[in-house]
mmCIF file of all heavy atoms in Angstrom:
data_model
loop_
_atom_site.group_PDB
_atom_site.id
_atom_site.type_symbol
_atom_site.label_atom_id
_atom_site.label_comp_id
_atom_site.label_asym_id
_atom_site.label_seq_id
_atom_site.Cartn_x
_atom_site.Cartn_y
_atom_site.Cartn_z
ATOM 1 N N TYR J 1 108.506 92.485 87.496
ATOM 2 C CA TYR J 1 108.445 93.270 86.262
ATOM 3 C C TYR J 1 109.763 93.245 85.483
ATOM 4 O O TYR J 1 110.000 94.043 84.586
ATOM 5 C CB TYR J 1 107.996 94.707 86.539
ATOM 6 C CG TYR J 1 108.851 95.499 87.508
ATOM 7 C CD1 TYR J 1 109.883 96.321 87.056
ATOM 8 C CD2 TYR J 1 108.596 95.467 88.875
ATOM 9 C CE1 TYR J 1 110.643 97.076 87.934
ATOM 10 C CE2 TYR J 1 109.355 96.203 89.767
ATOM 11 C CZ TYR J 1 110.374 97.018 89.293
ATOM 12 O OH TYR J 1 111.122 97.760 90.175
ATOM 13 N N ARG J 2 110.621 92.295 85.802
ATOM 14 C CA ARG J 2 111.905 92.155 85.109
ATOM 15 C C ARG J 2 111.721 91.895 83.612
ATOM 16 O O ARG J 2 112.543 92.312 82.793
ATOM 17 C CB ARG J 2 112.712 91.019 85.757
ATOM 18 C CG ARG J 2 114.105 90.813 85.168
ATOM 19 C CD ARG J 2 114.792 89.620 85.816
ATOM 20 N NE ARG J 2 115.017 89.843 87.237
ATOM 21 C CZ ARG J 2 116.092 90.440 87.742
ATOM 22 N NH1 ARG J 2 117.036 90.886 86.929
ATOM 23 N NH2 ARG J 2 116.228 90.595 89.035
ATOM 24 N N GLN J 3 110.647 91.183 83.254
ATOM 25 C CA GLN J 3 110.444 90.782 81.869
ATOM 26 C C GLN J 3 109.673 91.821 81.044
ATOM 27 O O GLN J 3 109.344 91.558 79.887
ATOM 28 C CB GLN J 3 109.692 89.455 81.826
ATOM 29 C CG GLN J 3 110.492 88.263 82.349
ATOM 30 C CD GLN J 3 111.732 88.004 81.501
ATOM 31 O OE1 GLN J 3 111.646 87.743 80.320
ATOM 32 N NE2 GLN J 3 112.895 88.113 82.118
ATOM 33 N N THR J 4 109.377 92.970 81.596
ATOM 34 C CA THR J 4 108.666 94.000 80.836
ATOM 35 C C THR J 4 109.615 94.676 79.842
ATOM 36 O O THR J 4 110.840 94.599 79.977
ATOM 37 C CB THR J 4 108.069 95.059 81.773
ATOM 38 O OG1 THR J 4 109.131 95.668 82.534
ATOM 39 C CG2 THR J 4 107.073 94.419 82.728
ATOM 40 N N ALA J 5 109.037 95.348 78.865
ATOM 41 C CA ALA J 5 109.854 95.986 77.826
ATOM 42 C C ALA J 5 110.746 97.087 78.392
ATOM 43 O O ALA J 5 111.889 97.267 77.949
ATOM 44 C CB ALA J 5 108.944 96.549 76.737
ATOM 45 N N ASP J 6 110.244 97.839 79.363
ATOM 46 C CA ASP J 6 111.018 98.927 79.986
ATOM 47 C C ASP J 6 110.781 98.881 81.493
ATOM 48 O O ASP J 6 109.881 99.542 82.015
ATOM 49 C CB ASP J 6 110.578 100.282 79.412
ATOM 50 C CG ASP J 6 111.467 101.433 79.882
ATOM 51 O OD1 ASP J 6 112.170 101.264 80.895
ATOM 52 O OD2 ASP J 6 111.437 102.499 79.226
ATOM 53 N N PRO J 7 111.568 98.078 82.229
ATOM 54 C CA PRO J 7 111.332 97.910 83.667
ATOM 55 C C PRO J 7 111.329 99.215 84.465
ATOM 56 O O PRO J 7 110.528 99.368 85.391
ATOM 57 C CB PRO J 7 112.485 96.993 84.108
ATOM 58 C CG PRO J 7 112.857 96.243 82.867
ATOM 59 C CD PRO J 7 112.668 97.221 81.751
ATOM 60 N N ASP J 8 112.199 100.159 84.120
ATOM 61 C CA ASP J 8 112.240 101.421 84.864
ATOM 62 C C ASP J 8 110.946 102.205 84.684
ATOM 63 O O ASP J 8 110.401 102.769 85.644
ATOM 64 C CB ASP J 8 113.441 102.265 84.411
ATOM 65 C CG ASP J 8 114.769 101.645 84.818
ATOM 66 O OD1 ASP J 8 114.802 100.913 85.830
ATOM 67 O OD2 ASP J 8 115.774 101.883 84.126
ATOM 68 N N GLU J 9 110.446 102.247 83.454
ATOM 69 C CA GLU J 9 109.197 102.948 83.184
ATOM 70 C C GLU J 9 108.025 102.242 83.870
ATOM 71 O O GLU J 9 107.136 102.894 84.427
ATOM 72 C CB GLU J 9 108.961 103.036 81.673
ATOM 73 C CG GLU J 9 107.648 103.684 81.270
ATOM 74 C CD GLU J 9 107.543 105.141 81.706
ATOM 75 O OE1 GLU J 9 108.600 105.798 81.887
ATOM 76 O OE2 GLU J 9 106.394 105.618 81.864
ATOM 77 N N VAL J 10 108.026 100.910 83.814
ATOM 78 C CA VAL J 10 106.954 100.143 84.454
ATOM 79 C C VAL J 10 106.941 100.393 85.958
ATOM 80 O O VAL J 10 105.871 100.535 86.565
ATOM 81 C CB VAL J 10 107.104 98.643 84.139
ATOM 82 C CG1 VAL J 10 106.212 97.796 85.055
ATOM 83 C CG2 VAL J 10 106.755 98.375 82.681
ATOM 84 N N ARG J 11 108.115 100.465 86.559
ATOM 85 C CA ARG J 11 108.166 100.735 88.005
ATOM 86 C C ARG J 11 107.506 102.070 88.317
ATOM 87 O O ARG J 11 106.710 102.167 89.265
ATOM 88 C CB ARG J 11 109.613 100.749 88.498
ATOM 89 C CG ARG J 11 109.706 101.041 89.996
ATOM 90 C CD ARG J 11 111.099 101.406 90.463
ATOM 91 N NE ARG J 11 111.048 101.775 91.882
ATOM 92 C CZ ARG J 11 110.754 102.999 92.312
ATOM 93 N NH1 ARG J 11 110.468 103.975 91.452
ATOM 94 N NH2 ARG J 11 110.726 103.249 93.615
ATOM 95 N N GLU J 12 107.825 103.090 87.551
ATOM 96 C CA GLU J 12 107.248 104.409 87.800
ATOM 97 C C GLU J 12 105.730 104.386 87.640
ATOM 98 O O GLU J 12 105.002 105.009 88.406
ATOM 99 C CB GLU J 12 107.857 105.430 86.837
ATOM 100 C CG GLU J 12 109.327 105.729 87.106
ATOM 101 C CD GLU J 12 109.572 106.262 88.505
ATOM 102 O OE1 GLU J 12 108.822 107.162 88.944
ATOM 103 O OE2 GLU J 12 110.498 105.769 89.181
ATOM 104 N N GLN J 13 105.249 103.661 86.645
ATOM 105 C CA GLN J 13 103.809 103.608 86.394
ATOM 106 C C GLN J 13 103.066 102.792 87.449
ATOM 107 O O GLN J 13 101.950 103.144 87.853
ATOM 108 C CB GLN J 13 103.533 103.005 85.009
ATOM 109 C CG GLN J 13 103.922 103.887 83.840
ATOM 110 C CD GLN J 13 103.495 103.267 82.521
ATOM 111 O OE1 GLN J 13 102.444 102.635 82.429
ATOM 112 N NE2 GLN J 13 104.308 103.437 81.498
ATOM 113 N N PHE J 14 103.685 101.694 87.880
ATOM 114 C CA PHE J 14 102.959 100.757 88.743
ATOM 115 C C PHE J 14 103.146 101.035 90.232
ATOM 116 O O PHE J 14 102.341 100.566 91.045
ATOM 117 C CB PHE J 14 103.389 99.320 88.440
ATOM 118 C CG PHE J 14 102.411 98.287 88.919
ATOM 119 C CD1 PHE J 14 101.264 98.008 88.185
ATOM 120 C CD2 PHE J 14 102.608 97.605 90.107
ATOM 121 C CE1 PHE J 14 100.340 97.068 88.628
ATOM 122 C CE2 PHE J 14 101.700 96.668 90.563
ATOM 123 C CZ PHE J 14 100.557 96.398 89.808
ATOM 124 N N LEU J 15 104.151 101.795 90.604
ATOM 125 C CA LEU J 15 104.394 102.056 92.027
ATOM 126 C C LEU J 15 103.160 102.627 92.728
ATOM 127 O O LEU J 15 102.813 102.165 93.829
ATOM 128 C CB LEU J 15 105.595 102.990 92.198
ATOM 129 C CG LEU J 15 105.954 103.374 93.637
ATOM 130 C CD1 LEU J 15 106.253 102.136 94.481
ATOM 131 C CD2 LEU J 15 107.139 104.334 93.658
ATOM 132 N N PRO J 16 102.445 103.599 92.157
ATOM 133 C CA PRO J 16 101.234 104.098 92.837
ATOM 134 C C PRO J 16 100.171 103.011 93.033
ATOM 135 O O PRO J 16 99.465 103.007 94.043
ATOM 136 C CB PRO J 16 100.731 105.194 91.893
ATOM 137 C CG PRO J 16 101.935 105.632 91.125
ATOM 138 C CD PRO J 16 102.759 104.378 90.945
ATOM 139 N N VAL J 17 100.070 102.076 92.085
ATOM 140 C CA VAL J 17 99.114 100.975 92.215
ATOM 141 C C VAL J 17 99.507 100.077 93.385
ATOM 142 O O VAL J 17 98.665 99.678 94.198
ATOM 143 C CB VAL J 17 99.044 100.151 90.912
ATOM 144 C CG1 VAL J 17 98.118 98.941 91.089
ATOM 145 C CG2 VAL J 17 98.587 101.021 89.750
ATOM 146 N N ALA J 18 100.795 99.757 93.466
ATOM 147 C CA ALA J 18 101.287 98.904 94.554
ATOM 148 C C ALA J 18 101.078 99.583 95.897
ATOM 149 O O ALA J 18 100.663 98.944 96.881
ATOM 150 C CB ALA J 18 102.764 98.582 94.335
ATOM 151 N N GLU J 19 101.358 100.876 95.968
ATOM 152 C CA GLU J 19 101.179 101.623 97.223
ATOM 153 C C GLU J 19 99.699 101.671 97.625
ATOM 154 O O GLU J 19 99.364 101.492 98.799
ATOM 155 C CB GLU J 19 101.731 103.035 97.062
ATOM 156 C CG GLU J 19 103.243 103.083 96.932
ATOM 157 C CD GLU J 19 103.768 104.477 96.631
ATOM 158 O OE1 GLU J 19 103.010 105.287 96.034
ATOM 159 O OE2 GLU J 19 104.926 104.763 96.967
ATOM 160 N N GLU J 20 98.835 101.910 96.657
ATOM 161 C CA GLU J 20 97.391 101.949 96.930
ATOM 162 C C GLU J 20 96.880 100.600 97.424
ATOM 163 O O GLU J 20 96.093 100.524 98.382
ATOM 164 C CB GLU J 20 96.649 102.352 95.654
ATOM 165 C CG GLU J 20 95.141 102.326 95.775
ATOM 166 C CD GLU J 20 94.451 102.467 94.420
ATOM 167 O OE1 GLU J 20 95.034 103.073 93.510
ATOM 168 O OE2 GLU J 20 93.323 101.938 94.276
ATOM 169 N N THR J 21 97.339 99.525 96.795
ATOM 170 C CA THR J 21 96.898 98.184 97.187
ATOM 171 C C THR J 21 97.355 97.861 98.604
ATOM 172 O O THR J 21 96.601 97.292 99.405
ATOM 173 C CB THR J 21 97.439 97.138 96.204
ATOM 174 O OG1 THR J 21 97.037 97.478 94.875
ATOM 175 C CG2 THR J 21 96.930 95.744 96.544
ATOM 176 N N ALA J 22 98.599 98.222 98.913
ATOM 177 C CA ALA J 22 99.117 97.975 100.263
ATOM 178 C C ALA J 22 98.284 98.715 101.301
ATOM 179 O O ALA J 22 97.910 98.141 102.338
ATOM 180 C CB ALA J 22 100.583 98.401 100.342
ATOM 181 N N ARG J 23 97.971 99.978 101.037
ATOM 182 C CA ARG J 23 97.163 100.761 101.991
ATOM 183 C C ARG J 23 95.763 100.178 102.140
ATOM 184 O O ARG J 23 95.245 100.041 103.253
ATOM 185 C CB ARG J 23 97.061 102.224 101.510
ATOM 186 C CG ARG J 23 98.299 103.060 101.736
ATOM 187 C CD ARG J 23 97.980 104.535 101.564
ATOM 188 N NE ARG J 23 97.437 104.822 100.231
ATOM 189 C CZ ARG J 23 98.173 105.134 99.177
ATOM 190 N NH1 ARG J 23 99.484 105.203 99.291
ATOM 191 N NH2 ARG J 23 97.598 105.398 98.010
ATOM 192 N N GLN J 24 95.147 99.839 101.010
ATOM 193 C CA GLN J 24 93.753 99.372 101.035
ATOM 194 C C GLN J 24 93.586 98.089 101.837
ATOM 195 O O GLN J 24 92.569 97.903 102.521
ATOM 196 C CB GLN J 24 93.271 99.159 99.603
ATOM 197 C CG GLN J 24 91.806 98.718 99.512
ATOM 198 C CD GLN J 24 91.331 98.612 98.071
ATOM 199 O OE1 GLN J 24 92.048 98.959 97.137
ATOM 200 N NE2 GLN J 24 90.111 98.113 97.894
ATOM 201 N N TYR J 25 94.598 97.196 101.782
ATOM 202 C CA TYR J 25 94.462 95.887 102.434
ATOM 203 C C TYR J 25 95.334 95.741 103.676
ATOM 204 O O TYR J 25 95.508 94.642 104.191
ATOM 205 C CB TYR J 25 94.751 94.782 101.424
ATOM 206 C CG TYR J 25 93.713 94.739 100.332
ATOM 207 C CD1 TYR J 25 93.943 95.365 99.108
ATOM 208 C CD2 TYR J 25 92.470 94.141 100.537
ATOM 209 C CE1 TYR J 25 92.973 95.372 98.116
ATOM 210 C CE2 TYR J 25 91.497 94.139 99.554
ATOM 211 C CZ TYR J 25 91.755 94.763 98.348
ATOM 212 O OH TYR J 25 90.783 94.775 97.375
ATOM 213 N N GLY J 26 95.864 96.863 104.157
ATOM 214 C CA GLY J 26 96.609 96.840 105.413
ATOM 215 C C GLY J 26 97.903 96.056 105.349
ATOM 216 O O GLY J 26 98.294 95.407 106.330
ATOM 217 N N LEU J 27 98.601 96.110 104.209
ATOM 218 C CA LEU J 27 99.856 95.387 104.026
ATOM 219 C C LEU J 27 101.020 96.369 103.908
ATOM 220 O O LEU J 27 100.822 97.580 103.811
ATOM 221 C CB LEU J 27 99.772 94.507 102.768
ATOM 222 C CG LEU J 27 98.603 93.516 102.739
ATOM 223 C CD1 LEU J 27 98.529 92.813 101.388
ATOM 224 C CD2 LEU J 27 98.724 92.501 103.878
ATOM 225 N N LYS J 28 102.228 95.855 103.924
ATOM 226 C CA LYS J 28 103.418 96.688 103.760
ATOM 227 C C LYS J 28 104.040 96.418 102.394
ATOM 228 O O LYS J 28 104.120 95.268 101.962
ATOM 229 C CB LYS J 28 104.446 96.410 104.860
ATOM 230 C CG LYS J 28 104.028 96.920 106.228
ATOM 231 C CD LYS J 28 105.170 96.816 107.234
ATOM 232 C CE LYS J 28 106.265 97.818 106.920
ATOM 233 N NZ LYS J 28 107.314 97.848 107.968
ATOM 234 N N LEU J 29 104.494 97.481 101.745
ATOM 235 C CA LEU J 29 105.116 97.372 100.427
ATOM 236 C C LEU J 29 106.627 97.381 100.554
ATOM 237 O O LEU J 29 107.196 98.230 101.232
ATOM 238 C CB LEU J 29 104.656 98.532 99.537
ATOM 239 C CG LEU J 29 105.330 98.635 98.166
ATOM 240 C CD1 LEU J 29 105.004 97.427 97.298
ATOM 241 C CD2 LEU J 29 104.921 99.939 97.473
ATOM 242 N N PHE J 30 107.275 96.409 99.892
ATOM 243 C CA PHE J 30 108.730 96.339 99.821
ATOM 244 C C PHE J 30 109.123 96.253 98.347
ATOM 245 O O PHE J 30 108.352 95.790 97.509
ATOM 246 C CB PHE J 30 109.263 95.102 100.562
ATOM 247 C CG PHE J 30 109.040 95.128 102.038
ATOM 248 C CD1 PHE J 30 107.825 94.709 102.581
ATOM 249 C CD2 PHE J 30 110.028 95.559 102.902
ATOM 250 C CE1 PHE J 30 107.607 94.733 103.947
ATOM 251 C CE2 PHE J 30 109.825 95.587 104.276
ATOM 252 C CZ PHE J 30 108.604 95.164 104.797
ATOM 253 N N GLU J 31 110.335 96.706 98.052
ATOM 254 C CA GLU J 31 110.852 96.581 96.689
ATOM 255 C C GLU J 31 112.158 95.809 96.703
ATOM 256 O O GLU J 31 112.980 95.951 97.612
ATOM 257 C CB GLU J 31 111.084 97.961 96.066
ATOM 258 C CG GLU J 31 109.808 98.710 95.742
ATOM 259 C CD GLU J 31 110.060 99.918 94.865
ATOM 260 O OE1 GLU J 31 110.440 99.730 93.682
ATOM 261 O OE2 GLU J 31 109.896 101.046 95.375
ATOM 262 N N GLY J 32 112.337 94.971 95.670
ATOM 263 C CA GLY J 32 113.574 94.212 95.506
ATOM 264 C C GLY J 32 114.089 94.381 94.091
ATOM 265 O O GLY J 32 113.857 95.406 93.449
ATOM 266 N N ARG J 33 114.780 93.351 93.591
ATOM 267 C CA ARG J 33 115.323 93.402 92.234
ATOM 268 C C ARG J 33 114.180 93.258 91.229
ATOM 269 O O ARG J 33 113.703 92.165 90.974
ATOM 270 C CB ARG J 33 116.338 92.270 92.014
ATOM 271 C CG ARG J 33 117.568 92.345 92.900
ATOM 272 C CD ARG J 33 118.559 91.269 92.458
ATOM 273 N NE ARG J 33 119.706 91.184 93.334
ATOM 274 C CZ ARG J 33 119.875 90.292 94.292
ATOM 275 N NH1 ARG J 33 118.920 89.392 94.497
ATOM 276 N NH2 ARG J 33 120.959 90.276 95.034
ATOM 277 N N ARG J 34 113.738 94.368 90.660
ATOM 278 C CA ARG J 34 112.653 94.369 89.674
ATOM 279 C C ARG J 34 111.415 93.648 90.211
ATOM 280 O O ARG J 34 110.789 92.834 89.534
ATOM 281 C CB ARG J 34 113.100 93.709 88.365
ATOM 282 C CG ARG J 34 114.372 94.266 87.765
ATOM 283 C CD ARG J 34 114.199 95.696 87.322
ATOM 284 N NE ARG J 34 115.309 96.131 86.467
ATOM 285 C CZ ARG J 34 115.529 97.377 86.078
ATOM 286 N NH1 ARG J 34 114.710 98.341 86.491
ATOM 287 N NH2 ARG J 34 116.530 97.691 85.305
ATOM 288 N N ILE J 35 111.063 93.967 91.450
ATOM 289 C CA ILE J 35 109.947 93.270 92.077
ATOM 290 C C ILE J 35 109.308 94.165 93.139
ATOM 291 O O ILE J 35 109.995 94.924 93.834
ATOM 292 C CB ILE J 35 110.435 91.943 92.721
ATOM 293 C CG1 ILE J 35 109.269 91.124 93.244
ATOM 294 C CG2 ILE J 35 111.439 92.199 93.821
ATOM 295 C CD1 ILE J 35 109.699 89.768 93.772
ATOM 296 N N PHE J 36 107.983 94.126 93.225
ATOM 297 C CA PHE J 36 107.237 94.694 94.345
ATOM 298 C C PHE J 36 106.780 93.530 95.217
ATOM 299 O O PHE J 36 106.378 92.482 94.703
ATOM 300 C CB PHE J 36 105.988 95.445 93.865
ATOM 301 C CG PHE J 36 106.269 96.659 93.032
ATOM 302 C CD1 PHE J 36 105.973 96.666 91.674
ATOM 303 C CD2 PHE J 36 106.801 97.810 93.602
ATOM 304 C CE1 PHE J 36 106.214 97.784 90.895
ATOM 305 C CE2 PHE J 36 107.051 98.939 92.832
ATOM 306 C CZ PHE J 36 106.759 98.924 91.467
ATOM 307 N N GLU J 37 106.832 93.713 96.529
ATOM 308 C CA GLU J 37 106.340 92.680 97.435
ATOM 309 C C GLU J 37 105.366 93.289 98.433
ATOM 310 O O GLU J 37 105.641 94.335 99.019
ATOM 311 C CB GLU J 37 107.497 92.012 98.184
ATOM 312 C CG GLU J 37 108.355 91.135 97.304
ATOM 313 C CD GLU J 37 109.229 90.192 98.101
ATOM 314 O OE1 GLU J 37 109.586 90.533 99.252
ATOM 315 O OE2 GLU J 37 109.561 89.123 97.582
ATOM 316 N N LEU J 38 104.243 92.617 98.629
ATOM 317 C CA LEU J 38 103.267 93.000 99.633
ATOM 318 C C LEU J 38 103.306 91.956 100.740
ATOM 319 O O LEU J 38 103.102 90.770 100.486
ATOM 320 C CB LEU J 38 101.870 93.078 99.014
ATOM 321 C CG LEU J 38 101.683 94.133 97.914
ATOM 322 C CD1 LEU J 38 100.272 94.056 97.341
ATOM 323 C CD2 LEU J 38 101.971 95.526 98.439
ATOM 324 N N ARG J 39 103.582 92.409 101.958
ATOM 325 C CA ARG J 39 103.736 91.498 103.090
ATOM 326 C C ARG J 39 102.863 91.964 104.253
ATOM 327 O O ARG J 39 102.501 93.138 104.350
ATOM 328 C CB ARG J 39 105.192 91.458 103.572
ATOM 329 C CG ARG J 39 106.224 91.151 102.506
ATOM 330 C CD ARG J 39 107.604 91.137 103.127
ATOM 331 N NE ARG J 39 108.675 91.238 102.153
ATOM 332 C CZ ARG J 39 109.944 91.479 102.462
ATOM 333 N NH1 ARG J 39 110.290 91.631 103.736
ATOM 334 N NH2 ARG J 39 110.858 91.568 101.506
ATOM 335 N N PRO J 40 102.557 91.062 105.179
ATOM 336 C CA PRO J 40 101.834 91.463 106.388
ATOM 337 C C PRO J 40 102.655 92.488 107.175
ATOM 338 O O PRO J 40 103.893 92.415 107.195
ATOM 339 C CB PRO J 40 101.690 90.156 107.173
ATOM 340 C CG PRO J 40 101.845 89.081 106.153
ATOM 341 C CD PRO J 40 102.815 89.616 105.147
ATOM 342 N N PRO J 41 102.008 93.413 107.856
ATOM 343 C CA PRO J 41 102.728 94.448 108.617
ATOM 344 C C PRO J 41 103.166 93.952 109.989
ATOM 345 O O PRO J 41 102.753 94.461 111.027
ATOM 346 C CB PRO J 41 101.688 95.567 108.734
ATOM 347 C CG PRO J 41 100.388 94.832 108.790
ATOM 348 C CD PRO J 41 100.552 93.630 107.876
ATOM 349 N N ILE J 42 104.009 92.962 109.990
ATOM 350 C CA ILE J 42 104.482 92.388 111.248
ATOM 351 C C ILE J 42 106.007 92.397 111.250
ATOM 352 O O ILE J 42 106.639 92.318 110.201
ATOM 353 C CB ILE J 42 103.961 90.947 111.452
ATOM 354 C CG1 ILE J 42 104.386 90.048 110.288
ATOM 355 C CG2 ILE J 42 102.451 90.951 111.602
ATOM 356 C CD1 ILE J 42 103.978 88.613 110.448
#
């Protein structure tokens, strides 16, 4: 989300979506530099 108009605002809006997706598909959520990552829970 680095290229969005307001990355900080986008993070706040999209974080619940990322968390929900991780829970629904049994993955782990990580955050980096303007990035959400979904990885296997290993």
